[in-house]
């Protein structure tokens, strides 16, 4: 089936091969070749607009074909990283800076990271599918980072020299190769440690702590220093974490008694259960290695062990029976303190028995608080004046004799007679107890009779802890700063809260407050705060939320701290003009350094990353641009008639490192101002003339006035009008106001020179400009006397200038010189009379000349023909002009 489809496809392609030569200059086989692959290499982090490669040039394509080649990206997702010039096939980096670690985050640690593109070349007759692979090379843009701010390493105190301990919490660096982690070192080695690095088969480096000197936990149980991870890039980047080396205990110490011999004295009538002594042995080890148990030596007879009870845990010796003074007056008690795998420590207790006739008073305790094995337990929440025990004092010798009873020992306790009873005493607290300040008290109730006989009763009070303390954060307000575009799961901080309670009541867990965004996570046990996604300062600059620290007591207590995270700006946004291009309309002759227009540009970054400088890329000696305001100005007034349109390329560059930029095109169009009067091109001179035959029929086009105006629009629309006529009959000639064509209006009965003063005016605003020209028409059958005609033209010159002001010059608005209207009217009247007189005289002169001419000799036919030929030749010259 597949083979059949393959043959069908080949048949269709061959069918196209037959048709394509008729419509394409390229061969069919060139269009259906296999997909080609181009490989380009670039460094990550290049700014926008950096050339990656020219596909058309590298494929040696012909750009002169018609229709032209068109390059397209097959996948839209590729456009976020590259820009493709559809006409030239040039690839450029886009506004999204390529970050190698983000692009290839799924293949973390891979040596090769690339972006694959499919480029389609159209139209169909030139179709090609080009595979483009852009290899993104790594740059050292990430510093090594430890996953935790604090690393704990446990080393036994008996570790030998050169013992090696691996630290599993090594640093990570998203960069690869030489830009990755290369070595580790310690800030302080305390002269007992050094650091080595081991490389696994996969190339991962693990720091190894080596012991170089003897350790003793009892001398120093902890060392704190900093471990530095360093990469091999240029410049070198480092990451730091706190290394806490904890020396673990070994059973290298045995218990030792504080006192090797203890002497006690008691009377033969001492009350059973009386506290006689408290032995204490200390083992500097920790935990199970420091557990001490007490026991009598086998040398102590069994009956004596029974009489004097020894608590194996506390070391308290109590009287457990009745003393018989006749059996002995001195007892030697050998007490052993046993530790794990230790030779027992030995202490000697000498108990001396005093025989008395009357005997000391006796003290009988009755406990109100919880008592167990001679230890009274009190909650720290007990209020002041809480009762502990009643003590009944009896005097065996003389019951009626007064016995003095008082309390010895430190602490918030008091012993007072109970109401009016003389032999009852109440032991109670004077203020609230606090487990966090003191956990244990030892008190002695002393009873003394009048014979100075004394009996002492020992009481040990243990304070029971309760959940009365809430956790306390080390910092109630935590200000954190993190750069935007951070990699996912970036470490932010390690929160630390303490609880002074004991046991589970002092264990702290950490929780995020309800106002915390879901992108943040907090480890319940360690308090490590991380962000799961990449942050964008332009989207949100500050995050503020609460975190909670809860203990495990009942009921639970908690503390609240506030976390403020400020996203630090990176130069990841190019400047952007608010318009794709700008067009400014400016009237010509605009004053120099005047503001033509303002180019508004924005940059979403802040600080120096958002500071934008503008410049003219294509260079210009005419224009300048104000960087601060973005105002475009011209150094001089501009003349539309010299150049009407200017095209400028303006570049905006920000202040980041590396800087980013964008370019826009500015078109300056000069608006026409009516600053040019019409320019008369024909006739070329006020002294020129044209011969008009008297037989010319009315309606015949005689000549034209041709003028141009350098302005545009209505400023260049020209109107023609005759403002003065001289010679011949009035109204003999008319001028077309739009074309300037002069036609004969009626039959010419008079010979001679006809002078027409023509006004050529534009339609400009606010004041139209005009020029004047004199059109001279000589009506006659022939030009027999050229000098005569020139003399007539010369005589008309003064009048023409007077009538036309300045001949063929711009006539603008005239300023009022302040003459009264009557004076002006009188002057004009006098001028008109003078002109009328002059016309009468000239008319008389011309009539006389005509009569004389009639009596003159008639020219021969050949001479007349020659003169007509001369006239025709002159008309042709004038027409050519």
């Amino acid at each position: 089936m597949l083979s059949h489809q393959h043959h069908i496809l080949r048949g269709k392609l061959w069918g196209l091969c037959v048709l394509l030569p008729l419509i394409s200059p390229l061969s069919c086989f060139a269009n259906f070749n296999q997909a080609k692959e181009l490989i380009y290499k670039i460094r990550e982090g290049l700014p926008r607009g950096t050339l990656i490669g020219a596909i058309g040039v590298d494929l040696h394509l012909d750009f002169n074909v018609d229709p032209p080649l068109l390059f397209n990206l097959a996948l839209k997702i590729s456009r976020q990283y590259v820009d493709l010039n559809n006409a030239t096939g040039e690839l450029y980096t886009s506004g999204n800076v390529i970050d190698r670690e983000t692009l290839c985050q799924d293949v973390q640690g891979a040596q090769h990271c690339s972006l694959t593109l499919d480029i389609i070349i159209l139209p169909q007759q030139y179709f090609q599918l080009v595979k483009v692979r852009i290899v993104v090379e790594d740059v050292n843009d990430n510093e090594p980072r430890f996953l935790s701010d604090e690393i704990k390493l446990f080393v036994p105190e008996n570790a030998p020299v050169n013992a090696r301990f691996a630290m599993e919490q090594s640093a990570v660096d998203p960069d690869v190769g030489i830009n990755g982690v290369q070595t580790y070192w310690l800030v302080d080695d305390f002269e007992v440690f050094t650091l080595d690095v081991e490389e696994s088969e996969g190339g991962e480096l693990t720091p190894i702590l080596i012991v170089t000197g003897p350790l003793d936990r009892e001398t120093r149980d902890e060392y704190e220093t900093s471990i530095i991870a360093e990469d091999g890039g240029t410049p070198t980047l480092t990451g730091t974490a706190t290394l806490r080396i904890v020396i673990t205990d070994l059973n290298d110490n045995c218990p030792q008694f504080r006192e090797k011999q203890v002497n006690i004295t008691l009377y033969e009538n001492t009350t059973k259960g009386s506290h006689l002594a408290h032995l204490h042995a200390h083992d500097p080890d920790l935990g199970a290695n420091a557990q001490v148990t007490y026991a009598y030596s086998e040398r102590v007879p069994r009956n004596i062990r029974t009489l004097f009870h020894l608590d194996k845990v506390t070391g308290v010796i109590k009287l457990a029976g009745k003393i018989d003074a006749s059996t002995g007056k001195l007892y030697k008690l050998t007490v052993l303190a046993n530790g794990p795998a230790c030779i027992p420590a030995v202490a000697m207790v000498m108990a001396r028995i005093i025989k008395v006739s009357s005997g000391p008073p006796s003290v009988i305790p009755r406990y109100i608080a919880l008592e167990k094995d001679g230890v009274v337990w009190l909650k720290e929440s007990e209020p002041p004046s809480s009762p502990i025990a009643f003590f009944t004092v009896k005097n065996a010798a003389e019951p009626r004799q007064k016995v003095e009873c008082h309390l010895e020992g430190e602490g918030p306790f008091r012993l007072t007679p109970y109401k009016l009873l003389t032999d009852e005493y109440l032991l109670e607290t004077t203020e609230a107890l606090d487990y966090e300040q003191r956990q244990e008290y030892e008190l002695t109730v002393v009873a003394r009779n009048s014979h100075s006989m004394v009996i002492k009763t020992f009481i040990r009070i243990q304070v029971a802890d309760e959940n009365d303390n809430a956790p306390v954060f080390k910092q109630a307000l935590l200000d954190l700063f993190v750069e935007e575009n951070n990699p996912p799961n970036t470490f932010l901080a390690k929160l630390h809260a303490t609880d002074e309670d004991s046991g589970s009541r002092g264990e702290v867990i950490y929780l995020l407050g309800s106002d915390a965004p879901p992108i943040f996570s907090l480890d319940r046990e360690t308090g490590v705060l991380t962000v799961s996604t990449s942050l964008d300062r332009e989207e949100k600059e500050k995050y503020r939320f609460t975190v909670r620290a809860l203990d495990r007591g009942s009921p639970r207590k908690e503390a609240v701290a506030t976390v403020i995270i400020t996203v630090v700006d990176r130069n990841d946004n190019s400047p952007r003009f608010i318009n794709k291009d700008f067009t400014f309309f400016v009237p010509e002759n605009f004053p120099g350094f005047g503001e033509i227009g303002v180019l508004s540009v924005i940059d979403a970054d802040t600080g120096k990353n958002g500071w934008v400088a503008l410049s003219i890329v294509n260079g210009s000696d005419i224009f300048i641009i104000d960087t601060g305001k973005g105002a475009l100005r011209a150094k001089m007034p501009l003349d539309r008639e010299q150049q009407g349109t200017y095209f400028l390329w303006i570049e905006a560059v920000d202040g980041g490192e590396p800087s980013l930029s964008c370019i826009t095109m500015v078109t300056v169009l000069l608006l026409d101002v009516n600053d040019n009067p019409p320019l008369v091109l024909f006739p070329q001179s006020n002294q020129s003339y044209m011969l008009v035959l008297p037989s010319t029929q009315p309606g015949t086009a005689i000549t034209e006035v041709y003028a141009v105006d350098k302005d545009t629009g209505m400023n260049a629309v020209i109107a023609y009008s005759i403002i003065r006529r001289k010679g011949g009959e009035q109204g003999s000639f008319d001028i077309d106001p739009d074309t300037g064509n002069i036609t004969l209006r009626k039959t010419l009965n008079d010979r001679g020179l006809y002078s027409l003063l023509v006004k050529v005016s534009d339609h400009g605003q606010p004041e139209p400009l005009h020029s004047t020209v004199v059109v001279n028409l000589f009506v006659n059958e022939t030009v027999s006397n050229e000098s005569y005609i020139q003399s007539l033209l010369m005589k008309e010159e003064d009048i023409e200038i007077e009538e036309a002001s300045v001949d063929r010059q711009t006539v603008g608005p005239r300023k009022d010189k302040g003459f009264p209207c009557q004076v002006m009217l009188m002057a004009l009247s006098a001028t008109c009379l003078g002109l009328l007189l002059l016309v009468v005289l000239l008319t008389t002169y011309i009539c006389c000349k005509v009569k004389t001419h009639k009596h003159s000799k008639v020219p021969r036919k050949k001479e007349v023909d020659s003169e007509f030929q001369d006239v025709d030749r002159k008309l042709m010259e004038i027409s050519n002009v």
Side-chain angles (χ1 to χ4, degrees), residues 588-600:
E588 64 175 331
N589 304 324
F590 192 70
F593 295 97
E595 184 178 294
I596 295 174
V598 175
L599 283 75
S600 298

Side-chain angles (χ1 to χ4, degrees), residues 701-721:
I702 305 301
T703 185
E704 68 172 345
V705 176
Y706 180 69
V708 295
D709 196 316
K710 293 182 181 180
D711 295 322
T712 60
M714 295 303 296
N715 296 334
V717 176
I718 298 175
Y720 302 88
S721 61

Side-chain angles (χ1 to χ4, degrees), residues 567-584:
V567 184
V568 180
D569 184 54
R570 293 182 67 178
N571 193 30
D572 58 344
N573 288 279
S574 301
R576 184 170 60 86
F577 289 96
I578 61 171
N579 296 329
K580 185 177 179 181
D581 50 54
F582 293 83
T583 301
F584 298 123

Side-chain angles (χ1 to χ4, degrees), residues 24 41 70 182 191 222 227 261 472 817:
S24 170
K41 291 184 178 180
L70 183 65
Q182 298 298 314
E191 298 183 355
E222 191 176 279
I227 181 172
Q261 181 172 327
V472 177
K817 296 186 179 180

Side-chain angles (χ1 to χ4, degrees), residues 378-394:
L378 290 177
K379 295 181 179 179
E380 62 175 335
S381 61
E382 295 288 349
S385 302
S386 295
I388 300 172
F390 274 114
F391 293 91
T392 302
V393 181
K394 294 182 179 181

Side-chain angles (χ1 to χ4, degrees), residues 73-129:
L73 276 172
L75 296 176
K76 290 185 178 180
I77 191 172
S78 304
R79 298 174 187 171
Q80 62 178 315
Y81 297 112
V82 297
D83 289 332
L84 176 65
N85 188 312
N86 300 104
T88 65
E90 293 177 337
L91 274 176
Y92 297 90
T93 55
S94 68
N96 293 328
V97 177
I98 298 179
D99 180 49
R100 181 187 176 281
E101 290 71 37
T102 303
L103 180 64
C104 300
Q105 58 184 348
D106 295 333
V107 285
Q108 190 74 19
Q111 293 294 324
H112 300 288
C113 175
S114 61
L115 176 66
T116 303
L117 311 175
D118 287 345
I119 307 297
I120 297 175
I121 302 178
L122 296 173
Q124 185 66 35
Q125 55 264 44
Y126 315 128
F127 173 80
Q128 286 193 51
L129 175 62

Side-chain angles (χ1 to χ4, degrees), residues 640-687:
R640 191 204 60 81
E641 285 71 38
Q642 292 185 2
Q643 183 172 343
T645 305
Y646 295 87
F647 299 98
L648 305 175
W649 292 97
I650 307 298
E651 182 181 28
V653 182
D654 64 22
E657 294 181 3
S659 60
L660 301 178
S661 63
C662 68
I663 294 179
T664 188
M665 187 180 77
V666 176
T667 304
V668 180
L669 296 175
L670 297 183
L671 300 177
D672 185 49
V673 174
N674 192 28
D675 57 346
N676 289 281
L679 176 64
V680 179
L681 299 180
F682 184 82
Q684 294 181 333
S685 170
N686 290 338
Q687 301 298 317

